[in-house]
Amino acid sequence: MPFIDPPVIDFAHLITFNEEELEKYREALSSWGCFQLINHGMESIIDEMRKNTKQFFQLPMEEKLKRAKSAIILKDMETMMWQELKLRIGQTVFFS
């Protein structure tokens, strides 16, 4: 079975309520259920995350375990933040 790329949505056009991009967005969700988002402004955050992940996996196991325990505590805070973000996004015109 050949690999088929998901629809690509340009966030820069989406936030300006570009009708064509909004229609691509609606179509992607209704027919695919997912899409690839570009121009979202997260590139530097993603690069930083990759750098930090690489550094983490180069640490000795004892240090990784210490940091993992701290991460569990932070995970609950992160979950609450994502729930709030989803709630706010759900109130935008994109989901009307």
Side-chain angles (χ1 to χ4, degrees):
M1 175 182 245
F3 179 76
I4 301 173
D5 290 326
V8 176
I9 305 298
D10 189 331
F11 190 69
H13 293 298
L14 191 62
I15 62 172
T16 62
F17 304 104
N18 174 288
E19 283 299 321
E20 184 178 327
E21 205 66 25
L22 286 169
E23 184 54 38
K24 281 174 47 182
Y25 175 74
R26 288 183 194 105
E27 178 64 24
L29 289 178
S30 64
S31 60
W32 279 74
C34 65
F35 53 87
Q36 178 183 354
L37 189 64
I38 61 170
N39 295 324
H40 44 66
M42 300 288 289
E43 292 84 1
S44 62
I45 294 169
I46 293 169
D47 290 344
E48 184 71 18
M49 184 175 61
R50 285 183 179 139
K51 182 184 89 171
N52 290 337
T53 300
K54 184 176 180 180
Q55 289 173 348
F56 174 80
F57 283 104
Q58 291 173 344
L59 293 170
M61 182 56 76
E62 184 177 303
E63 185 63 27
K64 285 183 210 173
L65 291 172
K66 283 186 212 173
R67 293 186 186 199
K69 288 176 186 172
S70 298
I72 291 170
I73 294 167
L74 293 174
K75 183 67 179 163
D76 289 335
M77 291 173 48
E78 177 188 357
T79 300
M80 289 186 296
M81 289 169 48
W82 274 111
Q83 288 171 346
E84 175 68 16
L85 177 63
K86 285 190 273 186
L87 176 65
R88 290 177 186 266
I89 290 174
Q91 294 171 352
T92 66
V93 72
F94 305 128
F95 290 85
S96 60

